[in-house]
Amino acid sequence: MATVHVKLRSSVVEGKPGTLFFVLSHRGNTKQIKTIHKLFPPEWDPVSQHPLIPDNERSMYVQQVKMSLQESLIQLRSLIHSYPPGEPDILQQIVNRFNGKSPSLRLFSFIDKLQKQLEQNGQIKTAMSYHYAMRSFKTFREGRDIELAAIDSVVMSEYEYWLKRKNVTLNSISFYMRILRAIYNKAVAQELIIQRDPFKNVYTGIEKTRKRAVDENIILKLKKLDIKQPNLTFTRDLFLLSFYTRGMSFVDMAYLRKKDIREGIIYYKRRKTGQRLSVKLEPCMQRIIDKYAPHVPKELDYVLPIISSTDPLTAFKQYRNALSYYNRLLKKLSHLLGLHQSLSSYVSRHSWATIAYKRHIPLSIISEGMGHYSEMTTKIYLASLDQTLLDRANRTVLKGL
């Protein structure tokens, strides 16, 4: 039966760490599998073939290397036992299965292939999510591709640490990790690599964020604000339209079509959840729609002049660019309003919910109006908005001291 050992090859450059590699032996033949792990000689015990955890800043890294080696050894031994004892020439097969069926199976090329398939299937948003995740990971790798089989818990922990040093938010870190995990799992499902669970030690959850809302006075102040620049006026009007329509998201406004407005009702499907909603077309909404109707090219069916292309990929990129620009201009409007916290594309939605809540509109109505599938979702949503009321109550108490 084949055997596997772990060796440390010292660096030829003095002061540099050496490289760990696996040595497979069978019937007098050997094969080596180079790893990406680097250790200094004092960090390696050649007898036990285990890393020695140092008492310095490298201790966490070496601990992660130890865990990764243990995982890889389990997988290699499992591959060895999958062959009958007497079967010859199994080493290259084991190496191929451990590293992936093709030496060209590298992460970036694999993502490119998946992205093109998604675009062809019309799944533009998912394709762009793959693109953003790959762009971030490629920056971390300084443009160097990596074999899918070489991705393990150490690599992903190093990537997470790099993101944190770049002050990337936890939710953005989770977004990148979940996308990369989905890509990795696709390769596993296609039996291109063996599952090594490289994402088990990184953050893939959703951090609860504080919902920001403004009260009626700010909405009225924004409505009456004297604005000279057309781009700021359009931004203000989009924010108000979102508020008027019970918090319609920017993406849903961008993709709203003329055919979606029938007999005084706006019908649309939330692109985030697929929930179908309808909103009665009130005069305040109609005025904004009519105001910008002349700016939409006649050959397009869009209600608002945000997207100008019929090509799905180009349209999505236009929407993303417009959203970024919209949020930048909302910050300028926030400055004009003298707000301490900036408006954003989500504030209009949060504001509609909190104003309705303060006016004692039943929770069931708010929930249905926002397109939530259950009142529990709305309760969770509104829970963070209650903090404003609590802060005001506390301020009132403290003023009396």
Side-chain angles (χ1 to χ4, degrees):
M1 181 175 290
T3 59
V4 57
H5 300 279
V6 189
K7 303 287 185 180
L8 175 66
R9 180 182 292 127
S10 299
S11 174
V12 296
V13 181
E14 187 177 353
K16 293 288 186 179
T19 302
L20 289 171
F21 60 98
F22 298 106
V23 179
L24 299 171
S25 302
H26 185 241
R27 295 184 174 183
N29 298 316
T30 60
K31 289 285 183 181
Q32 294 185 2
I33 302 176
K34 183 180 177 181
T35 77
I36 62 172
H37 306 312
K38 305 282 186 178
L39 293 180
F40 291 100
E43 297 171 341
W44 179 250
D45 181 359
V47 178
S48 66
Q49 300 182 25
H50 288 140
L52 300 173
I53 311 301
D55 187 18
N56 56 35
E57 69 279 357
R58 283 177 55 85
S59 61
M60 184 175 293
Y61 170 76
V62 177
Q63 181 64 45
Q64 291 173 341
V65 170
K66 183 178 181 179
M67 294 170 58
S68 179
L69 288 177
Q70 290 172 345
E71 295 170 3
S72 296
L73 283 170
I74 290 172
Q75 288 155 11
L76 282 169
R77 286 167 182 155
S78 175
L79 286 172
I80 289 171
H81 285 286
S82 69
Y83 292 93
E87 185 168 344
D89 305 325
I90 64 171
L91 292 187
Q92 190 58 55
Q93 297 178 57
I94 292 171
V95 172
N96 289 344
R97 288 177 63 187
F98 184 78
N99 285 334
K101 292 183 177 179
S102 168
S104 63
L105 185 63
R106 306 182 75 82
L107 178 64
F108 301 155
S109 57
F110 186 63
I111 294 178
D112 282 334
K113 178 182 177 181
L114 293 177
Q115 190 176 337
K116 289 175 183 176
Q117 291 175 348
L118 289 167
E119 290 172 0
Q120 291 172 358
N121 294 336
Q123 297 172 271
I124 305 301
K125 184 177 180 180
T126 304
M128 293 307 297
S129 294
Y130 280 26
H131 169 75
Y132 298 137
M134 181 175 71
R135 185 174 63 184
S136 171
F137 194 74
K138 185 178 284 189
T139 303
F140 159 68
R141 292 279 301 169
E142 297 180 342
R144 293 174 286 108
D145 207 342
I146 182 174
E147 289 187 10
L148 273 164
I151 297 176
D152 59 15
S153 57
V154 175
V155 173
M156 299 318 300
S157 292
E158 289 175 346
Y159 175 47
E160 182 182 52
Y161 178 67
W162 179 82
L163 289 170
K164 288 179 177 178
R165 284 194 293 121
K166 296 289 183 181
N167 296 318
V168 178
T169 65
L170 275 178
N171 281 342
S172 293
I173 290 174
S174 177
F175 168 79
Y176 293 137
M177 293 299 182
R178 285 182 285 115
I179 294 298
L180 291 172
R181 183 176 62 187
I183 292 166
Y184 181 89
N185 287 340
K186 284 182 182 293
V188 172
Q190 295 175 29
E191 298 183 351
L192 300 174
I193 56 173
I194 296 172
Q195 177 62 264
R196 304 177 69 186
D197 200 10
F199 300 89
K200 64 181 180 181
N201 296 324
V202 296
Y203 184 73
T204 56
I206 302 295
E207 184 187 32
K208 186 178 179 181
T209 56
R210 175 78 179 271
K211 301 291 189 286
R212 287 180 292 171
V214 295
D215 58 26
E216 301 97 315
N217 293 331
I218 299 300
I219 299 294
L220 288 172
K221 188 176 178 181
L222 178 63
K223 183 179 177 181
K224 296 176 181 178
L225 191 64
D226 184 22
I227 306 172
K228 304 299 182 184
Q229 301 97 315
N231 56 350
L232 283 178
T233 301
F234 184 44
T235 299
R236 185 265 310 275
D237 291 343
L238 286 177
F239 185 90
L240 291 175
L241 182 61
S242 173
F243 177 80
Y244 295 156
T245 54
R246 307 195 306 256
M248 184 185 292
S249 66
F250 185 84
V251 64
D252 292 325
M253 290 194 298
Y255 281 92
L256 190 65
R257 297 179 178 272
K258 296 170 186 175
K259 64 181 181 182
D260 297 328
I261 303 177
R262 305 184 297 275
E263 299 178 354
I265 305 290
I266 300 175
Y267 298 93
Y268 74 100
K269 182 171 71 173
R270 289 196 68 201
R271 297 181 79 86
K272 180 178 180 180
T273 64
Q275 178 86 333
R276 294 188 179 277
L277 298 175
S278 60
V279 183
K280 186 177 185 304
L281 187 64
E282 301 290 351
C284 55
M285 307 174 199
Q286 187 69 64
R287 283 194 292 270
I288 293 175
I289 291 172
D290 290 345
K291 180 178 180 180
Y292 294 99
H295 300 277
V296 180
K298 293 182 179 180
E299 65 272 15
L300 296 178
D301 189 40
Y302 295 117
V303 172
L304 297 165
I306 298 173
I307 296 172
S308 59
S309 176
T310 56
D311 175 67
L313 181 58
T314 303
F316 183 82
K317 289 180 178 178
Q318 288 178 342
Y319 144 68
R320 292 289 302 183
N321 291 335
L323 175 61
S324 178
Y325 187 54
Y326 176 61
N327 278 316
R328 288 202 303 272
L329 292 183
L330 282 175
K331 289 184 179 180
K332 291 186 178 181
L333 286 177
S334 304
H335 180 72
L336 293 176
L337 292 168
L339 300 179
H340 297 297
Q341 288 188 323
S342 295
L343 298 173
S344 73
S345 58
Y346 287 102
V347 170
S348 56
R349 181 172 175 81
H350 301 159
S351 298
W352 186 88
T354 192
I355 291 172
Y357 183 59
K358 290 177 182 178
R359 291 188 175 181
H360 307 293
I361 293 176
L363 184 65
S364 59
I365 301 298
I366 298 175
S367 180
E368 186 174 349
M370 300 191 73
H372 290 160
Y373 283 105
S374 72
E375 291 184 20
M376 183 56 68
T377 303
T378 311
K379 286 180 180 178
I380 296 171
Y381 192 90
L382 289 171
S384 59
L385 300 176
D386 281 343
Q387 186 64 41
T388 304
L389 300 177
L390 293 173
D391 291 342
R392 288 178 182 174
N394 189 46
R395 195 178 302 119
T396 300
V397 171
L398 296 179
K399 280 182 179 180
L401 299 178

